[in-house]
Amino acid sequence: MKTLGAAMLVAVVSVQLSGCSESETPDVPQSDASKVRTDASLSRRDAGSRRDASSSRMDATTELEEDASSASDSSTAEGPDATTDQDAATPEPGLDATTPEPGLDAAIAEPGMDAMTSPGQDATTPPGMDATTLPGMDAATPPGMDATTLPGMDAATPPGMDASVPVTQRSLGMLKAHVMEDLHSRGCDVWSPYSMACRWASFEFCRAQGFAGGFGASELVSSGATVTCLGEPIAEYREVPYSGLCTMSNPNSLFCDSVARRGCQTQGFESSVGVIGFNGSVVATMCLKSSALVEELGGVPESELFNAFSGSCSVSALVDGNSCQPNVKRLCNARGFDTGFEVLEFDSNSHTAIVVCARRSSYDQSFAQQDERGFVEIGGPGFKRPARHGVNLVGGATFADPITYIDGIFNDQGTPLLVKRMAPQTSFRAASTFGYSRDSCFYLNQGDIWQHDENDDGEVTCTYSETVDSSVTDFRDRGLLLRPGEALLFQGTADWSGSSGQYTWAEVTGAPVTGSDAPGRRVRFPKWDTGYVIPGGGRVSIPAGCTGGCPPTPTTVPAGKPLENSNWWYAAPEATHIRGISIFLSSGTAPGTQGAEACLRVVQQGGQDIRTPWCFSLSGDHFSPASYDQAFGAQQSGSNFVALDVDVPQGALIGFDFALVSPGGGGMDLAGYVWLDAH
């Protein structure tokens, strides 16, 4: 990807196809799907990698609560920020944080926990806290939640239950889930990882895998999340009425987790995982059966729960229900269990908590590899998963910077796969300082590199947009060939203004190779990402074969590359066909003020053109999908891939003459990808 400067990037295409003579051939710098702004840091990518170890958004071992300070803010669906109105949300010393349900036998309360309230305190409401609403919450409906029910929640039938999916006899599974495909598609926003929406999405995800239900997400690493799925041998779905301080306005709070636990116990169960859903009259939970695999731990010291694992877990966070489920999992792991769920009770007198932990049976452990669901970790950190015929979803969330982790698919079959369409999308739909500035890049086998020196690995195409929608790469009867074992990786930027908290993803359509298809592999021009500053009123030309010290000197190149041009000639090792080109252009000024020209050339070794150069021009209008339609005809349908059929004899040279034009100056770059036959 590219690291942008400070100005808006804009680029749109109006294209005329013409035969231009060699003397008319324009030159242009391209780069690795580059985008350049008006300052010196033109390349879309950082000087080296888009995200190196020092800029990691989240360590591979980091769990959800690491982002709790930003993820669980006041916009979260079920509670105020853990640091907001802390006095109101935290009971005074001596006040039991979870008032038992009226009518419950006092013996249900743990030893040392006042079953009602401390002397001098109101029997129903801690000081400063409204009896029905936690601070910052709407008493009627948490933001984004329906006032009566969670989507799919039916009081009679466990939500998400598919009668065609057999209920597994497994007890517990730690399943890998994809952030976009498995959780976000079910309504979970990983920026509110402790929300009811995420717990409900995890529950439905587990139901779809044949379990009785589930809880999560417990861990989040790049595009992969770990969800705890529970089977009928140890858990059952139950609903418990609101009681005491547990209301529809605070279903994710400690008050409601306590109600869920005590409600399960009155029904004869050992404990509960906490609240996983709610509607207008009840909270939903998974009740845990008495089993050697489940253990409720009482008297857990506050210091062990809060301090040993994460500073973001606190008493106020417990009350709000925002920040402690990863702490419980880690605590349970430290005590020899596979997972844990939520803090269910807290005694402010003894400063101890009650949690529940669980372990897998030997039968469950035999499914450990299957539970990974084909996820293979790649550098970054990131994951790739087995590709399937039809639509594959790749991508994820942006954490501490605007760029997603690398995510992708790989061909785990014994036959080739044809990638026929790549359609990037983002959640960012509102213009900012940088307009809709965003990009999406696709790579073969290795992410965040350009054209590999020795093979086809590296960037295969990128798209860039400053409109609401991004262009697609639609090959139609052609496509990118993925041989067995090869991977297509994705990395995108939702919003180049620098904000995190967005999603960027792509729908990648795979299909078997048929006799009517034209499988292809790309050659990139220039060979690596290169950015240029255009002088005011000027024009910069980079002819085909301009490498080494050939002027002009670029402004930026990737780390480890010399500050020189790489607009090489590609020598065809055998007779082949050019099946098409795809084009990436980024601009650093307002729409319509910058332009680019390019001519695709096929020449003999001596330099004589074998065919008339195929030329086109691009000019600024935000480089939207419509730009390609304007440039290359309505048949493009917003695709940046232009179909061609050009014979190339063995030994012939393929290259691009590029030119960048910017009357007002500023930064620009362009990348051209030539698609050749692949076998």
Side-chain angles (χ1 to χ4, degrees):
M1 303 293 301
K2 330 299 182 181
T3 301
L4 301 148
M8 273 197 309
L9 286 158
V10 201
V12 160
V13 185
S14 72
V15 172
Q16 310 117 314
L17 300 183
S18 63
C20 32
S21 67
E22 195 168 346
S23 60
E24 296 170 317
T25 303
D27 300 322
V28 159
Q30 97 188 44
S31 78
D32 173 34
S34 319
K35 5 172 158 191
V36 186
R37 299 207 181 256
T38 54
D39 65 1
S41 61
L42 299 175
S43 169
R44 282 179 298 134
R45 300 177 205 225
D46 195 43
S49 167
R50 308 182 69 204
R51 56 177 308 284
D52 57 22
S54 64
S55 64
S56 275
R57 278 169 246 114
M58 184 179 288
D59 183 78
T61 60
T62 301
E63 308 216 5
L64 285 175
E65 95 288 345
E66 304 291 348
D67 280 348
S69 59
S70 60
S72 301
D73 60 19
S74 57
S75 65
T76 301
E78 39 326 290
D81 187 275
T83 61
T84 303
D85 294 321
Q86 184 168 343
D87 292 340
T90 307
E92 297 296 325
L95 176 64
D96 177 9
T98 59
T99 304
E101 300 177 18
L104 279 182
D105 189 284
I108 295 177
E110 293 298 312
M113 287 193 177
D114 185 351
M116 299 299 290
T117 61
S118 295
Q121 299 297 330
D122 182 87
T124 58
T125 311
M129 182 177 284
D130 182 86
T132 59
T133 310
L134 280 176
M137 294 303 301
D138 182 335
T141 309
M145 302 304 297
D146 183 86
T148 58
T149 184
L150 271 179
M153 183 169 176
D154 185 300
T157 305
M161 183 173 183
D162 184 342
S164 65
V165 178
V167 176
T168 180
Q169 290 306 301
R170 293 181 56 191
S171 298
L172 187 150
M174 305 295 292
L175 269 65
K176 189 74 74 177
H178 190 260
V179 166
M180 294 300 304
E181 190 163 31
D182 298 321
L183 299 181
H184 186 265
S185 64
R186 290 179 166 92
C188 170
D189 181 355
V190 297
W191 302 107
S192 303
Y194 310 102
S195 66
M196 280 297 103
C198 286
R199 292 191 187 182
W200 195 255
S202 298
F203 174 87
E204 290 188 321
F205 165 74
C206 290
R207 295 290 300 180
Q209 312 308 313
F211 287 84
F215 181 90
S218 300
E219 296 173 315
L220 177 65
V221 182
S222 69
S223 58
T226 298
V227 175
T228 301
C229 294
L230 300 164
E232 285 191 342
I234 65 168
E236 288 185 21
Y237 174 85
R238 285 289 186 272
E239 293 171 358
V240 180
Y242 294 116
S243 180
L245 294 178
C246 171
T247 71
M248 192 179 71
S249 66
N250 63 353
N252 210 28
S253 67
L254 177 59
F255 304 120
C256 288
D257 285 329
S258 177
V259 164
R261 169 184 177 261
R262 299 179 188 195
C264 286
Q265 289 177 334
T266 60
Q267 297 180 49
F269 292 92
E270 175 77 12
S271 191
S272 163
V273 301
V275 178
I276 60 170
F278 72 104
N279 64 20
S281 57
V282 300
V283 293
T285 187
M286 294 297 295
C287 289
L288 298 170
K289 301 175 182 180
S290 179
S291 167
L293 303 178
V294 175
E295 186 173 340
E296 190 174 85
L297 307 180
V300 175
E302 176 182 348
S303 58
E304 183 180 359
L305 179 66
F306 295 165
N307 302 328
F309 302 102
S310 170
S312 64
C313 182
S314 64
V315 174
S316 62
L318 279 174
V319 173
D320 297 342
N322 284 332
S323 308
C324 293
Q325 63 198 48
N327 289 61
V328 176
K329 179 184 180 295
R330 292 178 179 183
L331 182 146
C332 291
N333 291 158
R335 295 196 179 195
F337 294 88
D338 289 305
T339 193
F341 304 100
E342 187 54 277
V343 176
L344 301 173
E345 309 272 2
F346 185 79
D347 183 4
S348 55
N349 287 312
S350 62
H351 297 279
T352 58
I354 295 175
V355 301
V356 63
C357 302
R359 60 172 58 89
R360 287 174 288 192
S361 66
S362 57
Y363 179 64
D364 293 326
Q365 291 170 358
S366 68
F367 289 86
Q369 184 173 358
Q370 177 179 315
D371 287 353
E372 289 296 310
R373 301 177 70 233
F375 279 67
V376 175
E377 190 168 347
I378 54 179
F383 292 98
K384 59 183 179 181
R385 295 161 293 135
R388 59 173 176 260
H389 295 164
V391 175
N392 300 263
L393 206 61
V394 295
T398 58
F399 289 92
D401 62 43
I403 307 170
T404 65
Y405 288 105
I406 293 176
D407 183 54
I409 55 175
F410 67 97
N411 183 1
D412 66 338
Q413 303 300 310
T415 56
L417 177 74
L418 195 65
V419 175
K420 305 197 74 167
R421 189 172 188 269
M422 300 179 288
Q425 302 179 48
T426 74
S427 62
F428 181 62
R429 312 296 289 177
S432 68
T433 305
F434 293 104
Y436 289 91
S437 176
R438 60 172 68 105
D439 69 6
S440 301
C441 288
F442 299 86
Y443 304 86
L444 181 67
N445 296 328
Q446 296 186 59
D448 204 17
I449 68 169
W450 296 268
Q451 175 80 50
H452 196 284
D453 288 333
E454 298 175 1
N455 54 45
D456 291 336
D457 290 356
E459 181 182 283
V460 293
T461 193
C462 285
T463 67
Y464 168 78
S465 180
E466 284 193 348
T467 60
V468 176
D469 298 308
S470 299
S471 61
V472 302
T473 303
D474 193 340
F475 296 105
R476 297 177 178 83
D477 62 340
R478 301 151 202 234
L480 167 64
L481 183 69
L482 276 189
R483 299 184 179 98
E486 291 188 325
L488 178 67
L489 307 178
F490 171 85
Q491 195 169 33
T493 306
D495 171 19
W496 269 114
S497 64
S499 64
S500 60
Q502 305 288 347
Y503 291 92
T504 302
W505 67 96
E507 295 179 351
V508 177
T509 304
V513 180
T514 68
S516 61
D517 292 320
R521 299 295 273 260
R522 67 81 189 85
V523 180
R524 188 186 191 282
F525 302 91
K527 199 169 187 177
W528 61 69
D529 203 12
T530 314
Y532 299 85
V533 168
I534 315 300
R539 174 188 179 95
V540 170
S541 297
I542 305 93
C546 182
T547 59
C550 169
T553 302
T555 305
T556 58
V557 295
K561 298 293 185 183
L563 190 63
E564 58 187 38
N565 293 299
S566 60
N567 193 29
W568 60 321
W569 284 110
Y570 171 79
E574 59 185 6
T576 185
H577 296 84
I578 296 175
R579 295 301 185 180
I581 64 167
S582 50
I583 296 293
F584 178 97
L585 174 69
S586 71
S587 167
T589 63
T593 60
Q594 291 185 328
E597 301 167 5
C599 287
L600 173 65
R601 297 181 61 195
V602 181
V603 305
Q604 296 175 349
Q605 287 286 348
Q608 182 179 356
D609 287 313
I610 294 175
R611 52 157 288 158
T612 302
W614 186 77
C615 302
F616 55 91
S617 63
L618 316 172
S619 60
D621 185 21
H622 287 98
F623 214 43
S624 67
S627 304
Y628 293 97
D629 298 344
Q630 295 165 6
F632 300 105
Q635 78 281 354
Q636 290 300 120
S637 300
S639 174
N640 69 348
F641 176 80
V642 184
L644 297 173
D645 282 296
V646 178
D647 293 334
V648 178
Q650 182 179 9
L653 304 178
I654 302 171
F656 265 113
D657 290 329
F658 291 119
L660 298 175
V661 180
S662 181
M668 293 186 69
D669 74 286
L670 174 85
Y673 312 87
V674 176
W675 292 86
L676 304 175
D677 283 342
H679 305 286

